[in-house]
Amino acid sequence: MSKDHHIIIVKKKGRGHHDEHHGGAWKVAFADFAVAMMAFFMVLWLMGITTQEERIEIEQRLQTATVFDNVFEITNSPFPIDFDGNMSPFEKPMSELNSGDERFGKSMFKQASENQQSGRRDRKLNSALAGQHLSTPQLAVLAKAISQIAEELSASNNIMLEIVPQGLRILIQDDDDHYMYERGSIKITPFFEDMLFNIAPILGQIQNRIVISGHTDSTKFQSSDYNNWDLSGARALKAHQVLVDSGLPDTNVLQVAAMAERTPVNKQDTRSGKNRRIEMMVLTKDADDQLALLFGKGQIDESEGTAVKNARNFAEANRPVSRLDMLVN
C-alpha cells in the first residue's frame, strides 16, 4: 500500500453581513412605527386629562388651522408657562405673524375703516320706532330686526335675544364653529366684528342706552398680574370700541362692565366656551333711571315715572347714616 497521505483541503466561502441583503430600510420603518405609537399614546393621554369642552376646542383648532398657522401657539392659552409673571419672549412675534387679518381675512368693519367710510349701513328700523325711547313691548321689534341680521350673517347660533323687564338682553357667544376671541386675547375675530358692525347702526337709531358687559370662563391665569377681571373688562371695552366705530353713538352707552367668571351661562361646566361672551342690555327708561341712581344722587326729573320716584324716595329715606352725619346734623 502506498504510504502517501491524502491532503484534504477545505475551502470556506466567506458570507456577507446580514445587512448587506436589505440595507437599513428596516430602521426607517421602525422609526415610523415608534413615532406613530408615540402619537397614539399622546392622544390617549390627552383624552384622559382633558374635559369634553377642551377636546372640542382642540378639534376645532385643528380643523380650522392651515399650514401657515402655528396650531399650538402659546397665545391660545393664558400663560401656560410662567416666566416670572411675564409673557413668553416669543409670544408677541408669534401673535403678530399668526393672527388678525393675515389669519382670518379682513372683516367688513376693517375694510370700511381702511377706506375711511362710515360704519353705518343702509339698515332702517321701523320709522314709527326710530328716534324713540322704546318700551319693553316695542323692544320686540328691535329683537326681530337683530335676529334677521344674525340669519343673514349665518350667526343665529351666536346671538341669543331675550326680552326681560329691564329691556332687551343681547348675548353674543362662541359656538363649535366660531369663537369671538382667541384664548386669552382681546382681539375680536372678523366673524364677530361683522356681527357688531351690522348691529351697531340699528342700536344707534333708538334713544335707549345700553350696558356692555364682558364675561369669561373659570380658567385662571397663572400670572397674578393679569386675571379674568382684566380680560373681561378689556374685551368689553374692545366690543364697545367696535360698536362706536361702526355707527353707535357713544352717548348711547351707559356702562361698560367687567364680570369675569361670576355669572356663567353653563353653571354645570364653568369652563365651557358658552361662558365666554359679550352681553348687551338695551335698557328701558325705568331701568336706565334705576341704574343711574346707583352711581350718585341727583335732582328728580319731572319726566320720571311714579315707580322711579318712589324708588328714589325709598332709597333716600333708607340711606345709611354715618356717625359724622349725626354730628353735623
Side-chain angles (χ1 to χ4, degrees):
M1 294 181 62
S2 174
K3 295 181 179 181
D4 296 336
H5 297 285
H6 296 285
I7 300 174
I8 300 175
I9 301 175
V10 180
K11 294 183 179 181
K12 293 184 178 181
K13 187 176 180 181
R15 296 183 179 181
H17 294 290
H18 181 70
D19 290 344
E20 293 179 357
H21 293 285
H22 49 69
W26 70 273
K27 299 177 182 177
V28 177
F30 181 76
D32 292 341
F33 173 76
V35 172
M37 291 302 295
M38 181 181 67
F40 174 70
F41 285 111
M42 184 174 292
V43 170
L44 292 180
W45 173 68
L46 287 174
M47 292 181 64
I49 66 170
T50 56
T51 63
Q52 180 65 20
E53 289 290 339
E54 290 172 333
R55 289 195 289 270
I56 292 174
E57 184 174 346
I58 292 173
E59 178 185 2
Q60 172 189 337
R61 193 83 177 103
L62 293 174
Q63 289 178 347
T64 58
T66 69
V67 294
F68 301 103
D69 295 335
N70 181 7
V71 178
F72 298 103
E73 60 175 311
I74 58 179
T75 55
N76 293 331
S77 178
F79 310 112
I81 300 177
D82 187 6
F83 292 90
D84 293 331
N86 300 316
M87 294 184 184
S88 164
F90 302 103
E91 182 168 358
K92 185 176 180 181
M94 292 172 68
S95 176
E96 291 176 353
L97 292 174
N98 296 293
S99 63
D101 299 340
E102 294 79 6
R103 180 175 184 174
F104 297 102
K106 292 183 179 180
S107 63
M108 290 183 286
F109 168 73
K110 286 288 178 60
Q111 294 175 13
S113 300
E114 292 179 357
N115 296 332
Q116 296 182 347
Q117 298 175 355
S118 172
R120 296 185 179 275
R121 307 197 63 198
D122 296 331
R123 295 184 182 274
K124 299 296 183 182
L125 194 61
N126 188 312
S127 58
L129 302 179
Q132 303 297 319
H133 209 123
L134 306 186
S135 62
T136 301
Q138 292 173 328
L139 286 173
V141 179
L142 176 65
K144 183 177 180 180
I146 295 176
S147 179
Q148 291 176 349
I149 294 174
E151 291 180 2
E152 293 174 7
L153 297 175
S154 301
S156 298
N157 293 333
N158 303 100
I159 296 183
M160 292 179 57
L161 303 169
E162 182 182 7
I163 301 293
V164 296
Q166 294 77 20
L168 172 62
R169 182 189 182 200
I170 306 172
L171 190 152
I172 302 177
Q173 63 183 8
D174 298 355
D175 64 1
D176 293 340
D177 298 321
H178 302 95
Y179 50 98
M180 190 169 187
Y181 300 92
E182 293 190 36
R183 198 66 182 269
S185 169
I186 67 170
K187 186 174 182 61
I188 302 178
T189 57
F191 179 82
F192 285 90
E193 274 189 343
D194 289 341
M195 193 184 304
L196 298 177
F197 176 74
N198 284 273
I199 293 176
I202 295 293
L203 296 178
Q205 295 177 39
I206 59 176
Q207 295 299 315
N208 301 64
R209 294 196 291 183
I210 68 174
V211 173
I212 304 171
S213 59
H215 304 256
T216 67
D217 58 23
S218 60
T219 304
K220 302 294 183 182
F221 284 81
Q222 292 189 9
S223 172
S224 60
D225 297 332
Y226 199 79
N227 55 42
N228 284 334
W229 289 106
D230 300 308
L231 181 61
S232 61
R235 286 179 171 178
L237 288 170
K238 184 64 176 180
H240 164 262
Q241 177 188 346
V242 173
L243 286 167
V244 171
D245 291 344
S246 299
L248 175 69
D250 192 43
T251 53
N252 280 31
V253 180
L254 176 62
Q255 184 183 36
V256 180
M259 297 297 295
E261 71 279 4
R262 297 307 172 90
T263 55
V265 172
N266 187 347
K267 296 182 179 180
Q268 286 70 35
D269 183 6
T270 57
R271 300 182 65 182
S272 169
K274 293 185 178 298
N275 296 324
R276 299 190 294 270
R277 67 195 189 277
I278 291 293
E279 289 193 18
M280 293 182 288
M281 178 67 75
V282 183
L283 300 172
T284 62
K285 184 66 168 63
D286 288 345
D288 189 311
D289 293 338
Q290 291 176 16
L291 182 60
L293 285 175
L294 298 176
F295 301 100
K297 179 175 65 174
Q299 297 297 324
I300 298 179
D301 189 353
E302 295 299 330
S303 63
E304 289 180 341
T306 304
V308 177
K309 292 180 180 179
N310 293 338
R312 184 191 294 273
N313 294 333
F314 179 81
E316 290 292 332
N318 292 274
R319 182 174 63 88
V321 179
S322 66
R323 182 176 300 178
L324 179 60
D325 291 333
M326 297 177 63
L327 293 176
V328 173
N329 297 326

